Amino acid sequence: MRIALGVSYLGTAYNGWQSQPDGQTVQDKLELALQRFTDGPSVNTLCAGRTDAGVHGLMQVVHFDTDIRRDTNSWVRGTNTYLPPDIAVQWAAEVPDSFHARAAAIARRYVYVLMESPVRPSLEANRVGWVFRPLDQTAMQDAAGRMLGEHDFSSFRAAACQALSPVKTVQRIAISRRGAYWRFEFQANAFLHHMIRNIMGCLIAVGHGHKPPQWIDEVLAARSRDAAAPTFAPGGLYFAGPVYEAHWGLPERTASFDWLPG
């Protein structure tokens, strides 16, 4: 039997999603909780998209195989009993064996929340990025539009990226503001390692007037990480979840998505 879970987490205390020997990752905590809940053998989960240290998850989707039968509400409440307070299963669903959390995703979504303030954040620390200079929304939107569609994103790719190809299709970049908070929404068929944080660094360089919007064309054409801005901070980045075809019958998002400022 294959089970899919929607998981949300605050990534500040963890070394990213993927399991590591120190056990201090979101995957490690989830798999330990599942094992304790089922009182059975170890559980191996596969996720829709790995997140880095300090990056948060609004709707990480995972699947795993098990011979243990529980109703969906039990998978949620039982697993949450053994999870730390900054990780929670939001929903559970029995899915066909043909479902794969990563391979079945037709797109992925991220949100970056940025605070513009002369003083660094306190209550929002590690939950938002921060700039103290004003940003030009029109310039950033112009720059963002140049990244839509299919491109070679080598200039926005971390050296440790394991993706087979740097060519990705960005379907949407939306930029909005509410008070001191900026919200950047991204959707693409897939993303490279650090791609969003590297794009954010470039958009902010444009927003501050350090670079013109057309500079993005040069960065893309260079296909070199040296051409782009430095990688921006992880704390404001949220994995908003994968997009699946409707026939899988999985929730599109969790209520916590709407909590984000912007």
Side-chain angles (χ1 to χ4, degrees), residues 16-180:
W17 167 266
Q18 190 171 13
S19 181
Q20 296 184 22
D22 64 5
Q24 192 58 27
T25 71
V26 181
Q27 183 180 19
D28 290 319
K29 300 300 183 184
L30 176 62
E31 291 181 352
L32 179 59
L34 286 167
Q35 183 179 10
R36 294 178 68 186
F37 168 57
T38 60
D39 194 25
S42 60
V43 176
N44 296 315
T45 60
L46 287 169
C47 73
R50 290 175 290 186
T51 52
D52 295 331
V55 176
H56 317 297
L58 294 175
M59 195 181 76
Q60 176 69 267
V61 176
V62 307
H63 80 262
F64 62 93
D65 295 324
T66 180
D67 294 327
I68 298 171
R69 292 196 170 273
R70 299 282 192 277
D71 62 44
T72 54
N73 189 57
S74 292
W75 281 114
V76 173
R77 296 188 177 277
T79 306
N80 284 343
T81 300
Y82 298 101
L83 282 169
D86 50 6
I87 306 174
V89 175
Q90 300 292 324
W91 54 262
E94 185 174 344
V95 292
D97 290 345
S98 57
F99 175 80
H100 190 285
R102 182 175 297 123
I106 57 176
R108 291 162 179 82
R109 300 167 299 172
Y110 282 87
V111 173
Y112 198 99
V113 181
L114 182 69
M115 182 178 179
E116 181 190 311
S117 170
V119 180
R120 64 171 174 81
S122 55
L123 298 178
E124 308 95 332
N126 299 315
R127 301 189 186 194
V128 298
W130 173 55
V131 294
F132 58 87
R133 296 187 182 93
L135 293 166
D136 183 332
Q137 184 170 357
T138 300
M140 290 192 295
Q141 288 174 328
D142 185 344
R146 297 168 187 270
M147 289 181 274
L148 295 176
E150 184 179 271
H151 297 282
D152 183 325
F153 283 93
S154 293
S155 295
F156 302 90
R157 181 180 192 175
C161 182
Q162 299 177 355
L164 297 178
S165 170
V167 177
K168 304 299 174 189
T169 302
V170 175
Q171 301 159 347
R172 181 173 182 263
I173 303 177
I175 304 172
S176 59
R177 182 176 185 176
R178 181 184 299 169

Side-chain angles (χ1 to χ4, degrees), residues 134-137 139-140 202-211:
L135 293 166
D136 183 332
Q137 184 170 357
M140 290 192 295
C202 290
L203 290 178
I204 289 167
V206 171
H208 282 157
H210 299 319
K211 298 287 186 179

Side-chain angles (χ1 to χ4, degrees), residues 147 151-159 161 192-203 215-217 219-221 223-229 231:
M147 289 181 274
H151 297 282
D152 183 325
F153 283 93
S154 293
S155 295
F156 302 90
R157 181 180 192 175
C161 182
L192 301 168
H193 190 199
H194 284 177
M195 180 172 162
I196 297 294
R197 291 169 59 194
N198 292 334
I199 288 176
M200 284 300 304
C202 290
L203 290 178
W215 171 64
I216 295 297
D217 299 330
V219 174
L220 285 167
R223 299 182 182 179
S224 169
R225 182 69 194 93
D226 294 336
T231 306

